[in-house]
Amino acid sequence: MALGTNLGMNLGIEGKWALVCAASKGLGKGCAQALVGAGVNVVITARGAEALEATAAELRALGLAEVRTVAGDITTAAGRAAALAACPQVDILVNNAGGPPPGDFRTWDREVWVKAIDANMLTPIELIKSTVDAMAARGYGRVVNITSAAVKAPIDVLGLSNGARSGLTGFVAGLARSNIAGKGVTVNGLLPGAFDTDRLRTTVQAFAEKSGQDIEKVIHDRQRNIPAQRFGTAAEFGAVCAFICSVHAGYLTGQNILLDGGAYPGTF
Ligand code: NAD
């Protein structure tokens, strides 16, 4: 029996099928790795086929589960249909997509808002709509929405993210407590703080260039403000995701779990 490689613990989900969106890199990839480590078959998606196939090869090399790929934009109807069609059944749904750009809300028109809401609120809701009733009928299901620490502690320049992701969070708070809760289906949010991924590196690099600072100094300063004194890793993120998807977490639903090395300063 396969063990969760990151946890050394039998998660009890071997042989299940997971759809992990936006998973060629970063946090989505971390989730896919941990799920495959637990013997879960996965369909992984990303826009670019090359990075996606490279990740799939890494996952297949673990020799623990089936790995299928679907290249496409998950924020489009065609991208979602292709992803769903590749998955024999979706027992576990990990919702993820690129985050909206930073900026000043005074410059955002309706089109910009609709794009952000489409990607970070309506896309996960559409995928949930397509999968959750079948999960309930089978008596087991896990939905994990990758959102952001900005849902709990907003960042002013990330207004599009704050808005769209909070909309998703509000919607799933009701869904998680609906009749699916009594049928073995849980719905939770995973809120990343600062994780060492391509996205974080790009943001840090842009900030360093704009402020004329050395990138290593920018990284050092950011890490110093995190009680853990470092960025999180995709493997740590994936391990928590896999645990939420495990049989052990069946009583955990409607929650928003912050993974931020202690950066959020509140008691709760
Ligand atoms: P990343 O850039 O490292 O990886 C993103 C992955 O998503 C890639 O595989 C990319 O191909 C895929 N992708 C992006 N848009 C897609 C789309 N429309 N359709 C299909 N695939 C798509 O990013 P990450 O750091 O892993 O971030 C993942 C999510 O978490 C983002 O929404 C990001 O805003 C959010 N987040 C990240 C951090 C962090 O510190 N890394 C913090 C807060 C929130």
Side-chain angles (χ1 to χ4, degrees):
M1 184 172 284
L3 296 178
T5 50
N6 293 313
L7 297 168
M9 171 182 198
N10 185 354
L11 299 184
I13 48 177
E14 187 179 0
K16 303 270 188 209
W17 275 94
L19 170 56
V20 188
C21 305
S24 68
K25 296 178 188 167
L27 304 180
K29 179 177 174 182
C31 293
Q33 278 173 322
L35 288 168
V36 169
V40 175
N41 304 309
V42 294
V43 172
I44 55 171
T45 86
R47 280 173 304 191
E50 202 179 320
L52 184 65
E53 290 309 325
T55 293
E58 273 181 51
L59 296 177
R60 287 183 190 120
L62 295 173
L64 294 170
E66 195 174 329
V67 179
R68 298 184 185 176
T69 57
V70 177
D73 186 340
I74 201 71
T75 69
T76 65
R80 288 190 291 275
L84 290 167
C87 204
Q89 67 184 48
V90 180
D91 302 306
I92 294 166
L93 170 64
V94 180
N95 277 314
N96 186 31
D104 183 336
F105 87 97
R106 293 166 189 83
T107 66
W108 297 333
D109 59 16
R110 180 178 164 76
E111 208 179 309
V112 171
W113 270 109
V114 168
K115 196 168 174 220
I117 291 167
D118 233 350
N120 296 109
M121 178 179 172
L122 299 180
T123 288
I125 292 173
E126 284 291 337
L127 287 168
I128 291 169
K129 187 168 116 186
S130 301
T131 54
V132 83
D133 289 333
M135 290 178 186
R138 290 191 296 268
Y140 166 90
R142 298 285 185 265
V143 178
V144 177
N145 296 314
I146 300 180
T147 61
S148 172
V151 168
K152 211 167 149 76
I155 302 164
D156 64 348
V157 294
L158 292 179
L160 291 167
S161 174
N162 301 339
R165 296 188 200 275
S166 296
L168 173 67
T169 304
F171 167 74
V172 297
L175 173 73
R177 293 161 175 87
S178 71
N179 62 345
I180 62 167
K183 295 177 179 158
V185 181
T186 71
V187 185
N188 292 289
L190 259 188
L191 284 56
F195 277 81
D196 192 0
T197 65
D198 280 7
R199 179 178 162 93
L200 182 94
R201 295 252 156 209
T202 309
T203 321
V204 166
Q205 175 97 39
F207 180 78
E209 279 166 18
K210 205 171 158 191
S211 61
Q213 293 180 70
D214 180 60
I215 186 160
E216 291 310 320
K217 180 180 179 321
V218 174
I219 290 173
H220 179 260
D221 288 350
R222 276 204 68 179
Q223 291 180 334
R224 219 183 36 194
N225 288 326
I226 300 168
Q229 300 286 294
R230 63 176 178 87
F231 297 141
T233 69
E236 289 174 312
F237 192 88
V240 177
C241 174
F243 178 74
I244 291 173
C245 296
S246 77
V247 292
H248 311 298
Y251 209 50
L252 177 81
T253 196
Q255 302 304 306
N256 288 287
I257 296 160
L258 186 60
L259 294 176
D260 71 348
Y264 178 75
T267 304
F268 299 104

